[in-house]
Amino acid sequence: MTTTPAFTEETLDIAGTSLQLRRGGSGEPLLILHGELGVPDWLQAHELLAKHYSVYVPSLPGFGTSSFPDWLMSVRDLSTWVSWFVRAHGLSTPLNVIGFSLGGWIAAELATANSHIFSKMVLVGAGGIKPREGEIWDYFLHSAKEAFQQSFHDHESAEYLKYYGKDWTPDEADQVETNREAAIRYLWRPYMHSITLPDLLPAIATPTLLVWGRQDGIVPISSCELYKEGIPGARAAVLEECGHMPEMEKPEEFTKTVLEFLGG
Amino acid sequence: MFIGHFTEEPWQVDNWPDEWGTGIHKVSNAEYDPKRAANLYNRYLDEKIYAEEVGFDGLMVNEHHSAPFCMNGVANVQASILARITSKVKILLLGNILPIHDDPLWLAEQLAMIDVISRGRLIPGIVRGSGGESISHNIPPHYNRERFEEAHDFLIKTWTTPGPFRWESKHYQYRYVNPWAVPYQKPHPPIWVPGTSSRETVEWCARHRYPYVMLSTQLELTREMFKVYYETAEEEGYAAGPQHMGYMFFVHVEETKARAMEVGRTLTQGVRSPFDPGVQRPIPWIMSPPGLNSRKAVALRRQMTAPDATGKTRAGALASFEDQVATRGMIVGTPEQCVEDIRYIMEYLRPGIIIFRTGDGAMDHESQMRTLKLMGEEVLPAMREIAKELDLPGPYEVDPATNEAVEALAS
């Protein structure tokens, strides 16, 4: 299947930042919160979702070409920033959100504090909870290349090869480093989890779908179970033969799963 | 002229596999044999006592973490011991890794106690540390410079301002700063800063008028960094001089050149420092995690460690023992030959501080004692004469903070 990407990319002065925003599609807004490795492009999954929604993919502060104000020191700060962005950009609420890894953690934090902002929430390989079994893979004891290898189960999948399984240009390598510099500030300690979030999950009133790759090599699947136990009514969908980035590794299966939940 | 002694204090063992390299973040401490360690720690302390006896002005101690090439995980422990078992030598810490301290008040009091017990012989140098230190102590690398500067300001205030007072900065907060121990030296013990190639650090150092000691760096690069210091000092409205400039290099002295080459070679064997010429840098993302250094500094370092067409690097990362001897990165020879080479360095760099790095790598105790004896008898006295001739005052002859003459260091 081929699609012709139709999206715009702009830089907005908004919510205290100079923000890189990719947007495509039409209809109700769908907010995408990317993971700790950033988002390299308008992805196939974005394009598939944009057939049904007006899809917003901001590069979170510090990532991509977005600026990185000093005051952003934690994931909770970041969740406050997301709330600011949604209001400042005039997105109608409640709106649907998909959060990937770090982005899932941000969405969960926000949903604990504000039950009116999201209509439905999809958390994909979400960080934020210390797994019951295993450990969250340490990005900072490994190289950037290794991080992408670890994030994918299938190293022949199209978007892995397109963005990561190749030699980077100096600009691409520079962007990867920029994203690592942002990630380290948000995630350093406690490493990629919150001490208090588990106790706050029962405060979430937003219908929630958890999506995990069975072979997630970054956030162990036992974190999915903890999210499911914590968030009232949460459902889980586990994708087989899939790693930490289902949206890039299995875009069609991932999108189908998500659309069923959002549209149902 | 201030002449110091330094050994990295490496772990020494016969069967260290090549692939373990420096051992940083690679080798389990299951390999640490406390009985062997006891012998090594005591050997290194014996050598330091002897270095004082033969006439060195200072004993330099440093620390690294999860790092077999440097057995000193806590420099202040050794400094505390030296405060009691030596009597006149300066105890030079280069240094405490400020950013990895979550509680710099504890550090301020430790250093004050060492200064007091030694009756004012402590030089509590400070460093930012490499990524490995941040990883071992789980300290945010991206706030390294901010924490360094805040902890520095906190130490100085704690040492110079009667307590109690409150301290609230971005990374450190205290409601009651009032340690009972305050330093012996007034207004506070002298701060020195070591460096390898960070322009930002040299500039910071020059702005504070702190002596800056380049560690085992290539001569030309060292002179460039000194130039940055001189230029920054000029911008700050004072004239920098030899009292602000320090340089450390490897030295091994024997009665004959052949023996010196044979034994000196052991400096480049065994468990080596990753910062040394001839040693491949360990895992780059651990040495320099995201945000630890500015992109500019990382690019500069990459440029310095990248080999040119001949396989040589500006930082000398691929240099062999012979190369290092030929380029005066290592001074190895008879006392006369060493003095001649050291004279060249003194003329070329005009430092007021020279630190001999000796007894390092795989060198044995007997060889280190033998070279220390020759250093004391022949090399140090000759260097002091050359320093007079070239007018190279050390920081105990001309005060770096004021540029005023101070009482000459008794030696």
Side-chain angles (χ1 to χ4, degrees):
Chain A
M1 173 180 140
T2 55
T3 54
T4 309
F7 73 102
T8 59
E9 182 175 330
E10 55 189 330
T11 302
L12 302 176
D13 187 9
I14 193 166
T17 58
S18 168
L19 181 74
Q20 178 187 30
L21 178 67
R22 297 185 180 99
R23 191 168 70 80
S26 58
E28 286 177 39
L30 169 61
L31 178 62
I32 303 272
L33 300 175
H34 64 71
E36 58 281 355
L37 298 175
V39 60
D41 203 352
W42 181 257
L43 303 174
Q44 195 190 340
H46 302 152
E47 186 64 18
L48 293 171
L49 292 164
K51 292 182 186 310
H52 306 268
Y53 294 96
S54 190
V55 176
Y56 292 80
V57 190
S59 287
L60 296 166
F63 291 91
T65 57
S66 294
S67 64
F68 201 8
D70 287 344
W71 65 266
L72 281 147
M73 295 176 72
S74 70
V75 172
R76 207 155 276 170
D77 293 337
L78 203 41
S79 75
T80 305
W81 179 88
V82 169
S83 167
W84 186 2
F85 162 73
V86 165
R87 185 174 53 76
H89 200 45
L91 299 180
S92 59
T93 54
L95 80 169
N96 292 319
V97 64
I98 308 176
F100 298 95
S101 198
L102 164 67
W105 178 4
I106 297 165
E109 289 278 358
L110 193 43
T112 65
N114 180 353
S115 56
H116 305 295
I117 189 166
F118 298 137
S119 41
K120 289 186 178 178
M121 175 164 80
V122 182
L123 308 182
V124 187
I129 304 274
K130 189 177 148 194
R132 183 181 279 146
E133 287 166 34
E135 293 172 340
I136 299 176
W137 191 77
D138 194 340
Y139 287 108
F140 304 115
L141 290 182
H142 297 89
S143 70
K145 277 275 175 195
E146 288 168 335
F148 290 111
Q149 285 163 5
Q150 183 72 15
S151 297
F152 284 74
H153 177 63
D154 177 6
H155 293 146
E156 298 300 319
S157 54
E159 288 192 327
Y160 177 78
L161 293 172
K162 182 174 177 186
Y163 297 108
Y164 305 134
K166 60 166 190 171
D167 291 332
W168 291 322
T169 65
D171 281 351
E172 286 169 334
D174 213 43
Q175 182 62 67
V176 165
E177 194 57 23
T178 296
N179 293 346
R180 276 169 72 85
E181 286 177 4
I184 204 168
R185 200 200 286 177
Y186 295 122
L187 302 179
W188 180 258
R189 75 178 182 189
Y191 178 59
M192 221 166 141
H193 71 277
S194 159
I195 303 296
T196 54
L197 182 60
D199 290 309
L200 291 169
L201 291 179
I204 293 177
T206 309
T208 301
L209 175 70
L210 305 162
V211 180
W212 240 267
R214 175 79 67 195
Q215 286 77 24
D216 191 324
I218 304 290
V219 182
I221 203 157
S222 68
S223 285
C224 178
E225 292 155 19
L226 292 172
Y227 265 115
K228 189 163 178 288
E229 289 166 20
I231 301 175
R235 287 162 40 200
V238 175
L239 305 189
E240 300 298 333
E241 303 298 319
C242 186
H244 184 60
M245 296 184 167
E247 75 283 13
M248 293 181 79
E249 194 165 344
K250 299 201 168 215
E252 288 166 28
E253 187 181 345
F254 168 77
T255 309
K256 187 166 169 282
T257 306
V258 168
L259 286 172
E260 278 169 12
F261 170 71
L262 294 180
Chain B
M1 171 61 54
F2 177 100
I3 308 172
H5 166 276
F6 174 66
T7 300
E8 193 77 73
E9 302 187 31
W11 183 248
Q12 288 197 339
V13 69
D14 294 334
N15 53 348
W16 187 260
D18 283 348
E19 63 270 23
W20 286 0
T22 67
I24 295 186
H25 290 90
K26 209 173 184 181
V27 178
S28 165
N29 63 2
E31 298 299 324
Y32 186 91
D33 169 5
K35 287 185 181 138
R36 177 177 290 273
N39 291 337
L40 284 165
Y41 283 125
N42 283 289
R43 165 195 152 180
Y44 291 133
L45 284 166
D46 288 344
E47 291 169 1
K48 284 176 168 53
I49 293 171
Y50 189 54
E52 174 180 49
E53 197 181 314
V54 304
F56 280 92
D57 301 317
L59 301 174
M60 172 179 152
V61 175
N62 73 337
E63 72 179 48
H64 285 285
H65 298 261
S66 308
F69 76 88
C70 173
M71 291 180 62
N72 255 335
V74 192
N76 295 348
V77 166
Q78 206 166 56
S80 307
I81 296 167
L82 291 171
R84 177 66 181 160
I85 66 173
T86 61
S87 56
K88 60 182 182 183
V89 78
K90 302 290 178 192
I91 300 161
L92 169 60
L93 292 172
L94 284 180
N96 271 288
I97 304 164
L98 291 192
I100 68 171
H101 288 269
D102 268 338
D103 182 358
L105 175 58
W106 200 3
L107 182 62
E109 192 157 11
Q110 284 173 30
L111 294 172
M113 285 176 63
I114 296 167
D115 195 41
V116 170
I117 293 167
S118 69
R119 298 185 200 278
R121 292 185 289 121
L122 181 66
I123 304 169
I126 54 177
V127 305
R128 292 181 54 214
S130 70
E133 338 292 358
S134 290
I135 284 172
S136 287
H137 289 269
N138 208 28
I139 299 299
H142 43 291
Y143 289 132
N144 181 286
R145 185 167 289 281
E146 288 181 10
R147 291 170 64 98
F148 175 80
E149 293 184 7
E150 281 184 26
H152 162 268
D153 294 350
F154 174 78
L155 285 183
I156 300 297
K157 178 158 182 183
T158 303
W159 286 339
T160 55
T161 309
F165 62 86
R166 187 189 293 195
W167 177 274
E168 282 165 343
S169 60
K170 182 173 174 184
H171 299 286
Y172 300 107
Q173 300 87 30
Y174 291 98
R175 55 176 24 86
Y176 188 79
V177 181
N178 192 26
W180 184 240
V182 297
Y184 194 90
Q185 299 176 81
K186 301 297 174 196
H188 60 79
I191 306 268
W192 296 9
V193 177
T196 50
S197 60
S198 165
R199 193 186 166 98
E200 293 155 5
T201 300
V202 189
E203 289 170 349
W204 183 88
C205 208
R207 284 199 295 276
H208 289 82
R209 304 187 68 147
Y210 293 155
Y212 180 74
V213 185
M214 288 286 277
L215 306 178
S216 301
T217 41
Q218 191 241 22
L219 279 173
E220 187 194 341
L221 173 73
T222 307
R223 191 153 81 168
E224 278 176 39
M225 298 311 265
F226 286 180
K227 188 160 167 275
V228 173
Y229 194 115
Y230 276 101
E231 287 166 358
T232 311
E234 206 176 308
E235 285 164 24
E236 292 289 312
Y238 75 96
Q243 66 276 11
H244 297 102
M245 309 295 155
Y247 184 48
M248 178 174 86
F249 47 90
F250 282 102
V251 186
H252 188 71
V253 193
E254 297 275 5
E255 293 290 1
T256 68
K257 176 79 176 182
R259 186 88 197 275
M261 288 297 281
E262 182 198 332
V263 181
R265 186 178 299 277
T266 59
L267 290 167
T268 63
Q269 296 164 348
V271 186
R272 306 283 313 282
S273 160
F275 304 101
D276 283 345
V279 180
Q280 288 297 336
R281 297 291 187 270
I283 312 167
W285 49 90
I286 285 182
M287 294 301 281
S288 197
L292 180 75
N293 296 299
S294 70
R295 293 288 184 84
K296 220 168 100 187
V298 172
L300 182 70
R301 188 159 306 158
R302 202 173 294 146
Q303 188 190 327
M304 287 192 310
T305 52
D308 65 17
T310 66
K312 298 274 170 53
T313 71
R314 292 200 65 209
L318 299 177
S320 67
F321 172 66
E322 283 75 12
D323 280 346
Q324 291 176 65
V325 173
T327 56
R328 298 190 181 85
M330 290 189 155
I331 308 301
V332 176
T334 63
E336 296 73 25
Q337 289 165 338
C338 288
V339 169
E340 194 186 322
D341 277 343
I342 293 168
R343 170 186 274 277
Y344 176 86
I345 291 172
M346 291 167 78
E347 287 173 353
Y348 185 77
L349 294 177
R350 298 194 51 76
I353 301 163
I354 282 179
I355 297 175
F356 282 7
R357 183 157 167 206
T358 178
D360 223 317
M363 188 164 291
D364 61 53
H365 175 64
E366 290 67 31
S367 300
Q368 167 66 356
M369 296 298 272
R370 201 167 58 242
T371 200
L372 286 174
K373 183 165 187 287
L374 287 170
M375 286 170 176
E377 286 170 353
E378 303 193 44
V379 180
L380 269 49
M383 285 170 69
R384 296 194 196 283
E385 289 307 311
I386 297 168
K388 273 185 216 154
E389 177 197 326
L390 298 177
D391 189 22
L392 299 176
Y396 288 90
E397 292 150 287
V398 172
D399 183 352
T402 60
N403 280 3
E404 285 170 11
V406 290
E407 193 186 328
L409 181 66
S411 56

